[in-house]
Amino acid sequence: MKSWILPKYVIRSALLAMTGAVVGLWLLQMIFAYLAELDNISETYTLTDALLFILYRSPYFLVQFIPTGALLGAVIGLGLLANHSELIVMRAAGMSIYRIISWAMLPAVIFVVISLGVNQFVLPVANQHAAAIRADTIYDKLITINGYWSVNNDGGNQDVVYISYADNEGRLGEVKRYQLKDGQLIAALKAQTGIYEGQPKGAASRTDDAHYTWQLSGIHEVTIDAERVRQQHTDSRQLTLPIAPTDVHLLTKEPEDLSLSDLYAHKQLMTHQGTRSLRHELAFWQKLLSPFAVLSLVLVASSFVFGSLRSQGLGLRVVLALLTGLLFSYLTDLAGFVALATGLSPLLMALVPIVLSAVAGIYLLNRKSS
């Protein structure tokens, strides 16, 4: 038991500091996001709606700030030990730098698990509720680019279908359908909602060109011919698509709104269709490799503390940690943009910031310990 006294002490110091840093950054982001959201207040989007929207977006903010919070918490926790000369005593007692760092990394693993759990189980549902709150606002309708587009070519005819929203149970939001002949629009349809009816009897599986049927409601249709334009309203009409409801759900969501398993399913669907989405692949690898990102940042944070322990104050270390966290975030975004712009491997671009920060941390530690 005595051998665990020192590890427990370091782990507790790092855990308390990381928790305070993550929660503090999380709350600050929520406050600033709420203040920014006040610009969108209208008769249909009230202060309460804005508050609910921010609360539903809070899991996203938490996941975003866990790496920086872990970095800042490691600097504060180890920095406090350094200011009280406790790290000097540990080093004098024969404790290696990397052994002490391994103790500080254990609390970071807790936040890694929290991040993965929120990404997998909480974030998709919370983002769906957040989007629903703003679905009826003019602001959202003006900027939204989410949705699923399907284009079917049959000779000189084209059938274009747009679905704004879909859930796992087959419920659809607004549906639009355009029919073109030789490049000329001949018919347009708009439906308010849709409900999944199922596969026609005797239909094959998804891999064998199956077709799935939805019942649309609230139909507004325009037909254009050489003589006139006709409008009509009907209560219902069927829509047939070659993909399952769960796949439509995946294709109408932004990458950040999908869980890790959903992103993997999306990748499998794209592979089956003979195409790919670099944005979704990049999001998949970034979420999958996020544990290593957190641990590499803790390694960098440790390099700010060890070495000449008395030469730098805790305030300077905190500032360096914040700047490093921002640099890592910008580098991650830059690597993502490079992957999207050039078509380079999303896995490679997701690894670049992690490898660079880990190499920098090890280099600085070896330099200060020599």
Side-chain angles (χ1 to χ4, degrees), residues 35-56:
L35 294 176
E37 201 65 24
L38 295 181
D39 291 337
N40 304 317
I41 297 300
S42 65
E43 293 182 358
T44 58
Y45 188 64
T46 64
L47 290 170
T48 303
D49 293 330
L51 180 59
L52 287 175
F53 174 77
I54 295 301
L55 289 177
Y56 281 125

Side-chain angles (χ1 to χ4, degrees), residues 60-311:
Y60 173 78
F61 299 144
L62 175 62
V63 170
Q64 292 298 306
F65 278 100
I66 279 181
T68 304
L71 168 67
L72 186 59
V75 169
I76 294 175
L78 293 176
L80 289 173
L81 296 180
N83 285 352
H84 293 90
S85 301
E86 290 168 301
L87 290 184
I88 295 177
V89 174
M90 294 180 196
R91 295 292 309 281
M95 300 292 178
S96 68
I97 288 179
Y98 289 103
R99 187 175 182 184
I100 298 173
I101 292 174
S102 67
W103 297 337
M105 280 189 174
L106 290 178
V109 174
I110 297 176
F111 286 99
V112 165
V113 174
I114 293 174
S115 178
L116 291 175
V118 171
N119 262 317
Q120 177 65 30
F121 302 108
V122 180
L123 193 58
V125 178
N127 282 347
Q128 180 175 323
H129 286 296
I133 290 175
R134 297 175 65 178
D136 296 328
T137 65
I138 297 177
Y139 173 75
D140 183 68
K141 290 180 181 177
L142 286 175
I143 68 168
T144 180
I145 57 173
N146 297 352
Y148 162 69
W149 289 92
S150 172
V151 180
N152 295 319
N153 294 297
D154 183 13
N157 300 328
Q158 279 188 322
D159 186 18
V160 182
V161 177
Y162 167 73
I163 300 174
S164 63
Y165 166 82
D167 61 18
N168 275 321
E169 297 178 0
R171 291 189 292 265
L172 303 181
E174 186 179 69
V175 178
K176 297 179 181 180
R177 187 173 189 173
Y178 306 95
Q179 292 178 292
L180 296 91
K181 183 175 182 180
D182 298 327
Q184 300 295 322
L185 182 66
I186 60 173
L189 176 148
K190 177 181 177 182
Q192 295 179 353
T193 58
I195 299 176
Y196 177 61
E197 287 192 332
Q199 277 185 277
K201 291 183 178 180
S205 64
R206 185 180 76 182
T207 56
D208 294 322
D209 298 327
H211 288 81
Y212 304 82
T213 304
W214 280 261
Q215 188 71 30
L216 303 180
S217 59
I219 310 295
H220 300 270
E221 187 174 9
V222 176
T223 304
I224 304 172
D225 55 31
E227 299 179 355
R228 60 176 178 171
V229 177
R230 291 175 293 178
Q231 297 186 32
Q232 62 177 347
H233 304 280
T234 56
D235 293 331
S236 64
R237 182 169 296 183
Q238 285 190 338
L239 172 69
T240 302
L241 294 174
I243 59 176
T246 52
D247 296 336
V248 178
H249 168 71
L250 292 177
L251 294 173
T252 57
K253 292 296 181 182
E254 289 293 294
E256 59 269 17
D257 294 336
L258 295 175
S259 66
L260 194 60
S261 58
D262 285 340
L263 286 170
Y264 178 76
H266 186 281
K267 185 175 183 298
Q268 296 296 101
L269 176 61
M270 291 291 99
T271 302
H272 172 68
Q273 294 184 343
T275 184
R276 64 187 303 193
S277 171
L278 289 175
R279 292 180 61 218
H280 288 80
E281 289 184 31
L282 181 65
F284 172 77
W285 289 115
Q286 286 179 339
K287 289 187 178 184
L288 184 64
L289 297 175
S290 60
F292 301 100
V294 174
L295 296 180
S296 68
L297 285 175
V298 173
L299 193 63
V300 173
S302 303
S303 67
F304 296 149
V305 178
F306 290 97
S308 301
L309 299 177
R310 296 182 181 274
S311 63

